[in-house]
Amino acid sequence: MMRRLLLAVVLVLMAAPAFAVNPDEVLADPALEARARALSAELRCMVCQNQSIDDSNADLAKDLRLLVRERITDGDSDEAVLNYIVSRYGEFVLLKPRVSMKTVLLWGAPVLLVLAGGLSLLVFARKRAGKPTGSKLTADEQARLTELLKK
C-alpha cells in the first residue's frame, strides 16, 4: 500500500511541469506554438530562477509566456522576441547567456587569475632560490667546521 502511494506521489510530481503551460495560452497554429515553446524553453523564470518559463507555474512566467506568444503572433522573429525580452529584463533572463565581451570576461577571469597567481609564485620561488638562507659563519665557527671535516 505504501509503495503504491509513493509511486502515485512521484508520478504526480513528475507531471507538474506539464501543467505549466495552460490550455488557454496555447496558440492555434502548431508551427507558431512550437516556436513559442522553443523560445520559452530558453528563457529563465525570474521567480524560480533555475526553471524555464515553460516549466514554471509562477505568475511572472505565465506573463512572459503570453508576451512571447503575443510577439510571435505580431510577426516578430525569434531573435527579435528574445531581444525584446532581454531589453526589458536583462541578460539574466536567458538560460544560455549570449557570448559577448562580458561573458568572456566573466568566464575567463578566474582562469587568468589562476595563471597570474601561478606565474607570481614561480617568479617568487626563483628569486628566493638564488638567495642564501643563513648568516655567514664567524671565524671561530669556520675553524671548528674545518676541524670537524678533517676527522
Side-chain angles (χ1 to χ4, degrees), residues 57-95:
N57 288 327
D59 290 335
L60 181 60
K62 179 180 180 177
D63 292 343
L64 284 172
R65 286 191 304 266
L66 291 173
L67 180 63
V68 166
R69 283 165 173 75
E70 177 184 317
R71 301 295 292 193
I72 287 175
T73 55
D74 287 347
D76 287 358
S77 67
D78 292 355
E79 191 65 28
V81 172
L82 288 177
N83 287 337
Y84 178 76
I85 292 176
V86 167
S87 71
R88 296 182 86 194
Y89 294 97
E91 289 280 332
F92 183 72
V93 77
L94 297 174
L95 280 172

Side-chain angles (χ1 to χ4, degrees), residues 18-137:
F19 299 121
V21 177
N22 298 325
D24 61 334
E25 297 175 24
V26 177
L27 296 173
D29 185 1
L32 293 180
E33 179 60 26
R35 279 182 57 205
R37 285 291 179 108
L39 285 174
S40 60
E42 294 179 29
L43 297 172
R44 178 187 320 271
C45 174
M46 303 302 282
V47 176
C48 308
Q49 294 193 4
N50 284 332
Q51 281 185 325
S52 69
I53 62 170
D54 205 28
D55 297 332
S56 176
N57 288 327
D59 290 335
L60 181 60
K62 179 180 180 177
D63 292 343
L64 284 172
R65 286 191 304 266
L66 291 173
L67 180 63
V68 166
R69 283 165 173 75
E70 177 184 317
R71 301 295 292 193
I72 287 175
T73 55
D74 287 347
D76 287 358
S77 67
D78 292 355
E79 191 65 28
V81 172
L82 288 177
N83 287 337
Y84 178 76
I85 292 176
V86 167
S87 71
R88 296 182 86 194
Y89 294 97
E91 289 280 332
F92 183 72
V93 77
L94 297 174
L95 280 172
K96 295 178 184 173
R98 298 172 177 162
V99 177
S100 67
M101 189 53 121
K102 291 178 186 176
T103 54
V104 168
L105 185 62
L106 177 69
W107 290 100
V111 173
L112 291 175
L113 288 173
V114 167
L115 290 175
L119 182 64
S120 63
L121 284 175
L122 183 66
V123 168
F124 179 73
R126 285 193 172 200
K127 280 185 179 180
R128 190 164 185 180
K131 293 183 179 178
T133 57
S135 60
K136 292 187 176 186
L137 297 176

Side-chain angles (χ1 to χ4, degrees), residues 10-21:
V10 168
L11 289 175
V12 168
L13 290 176
M14 286 176 53
F19 299 121
V21 177

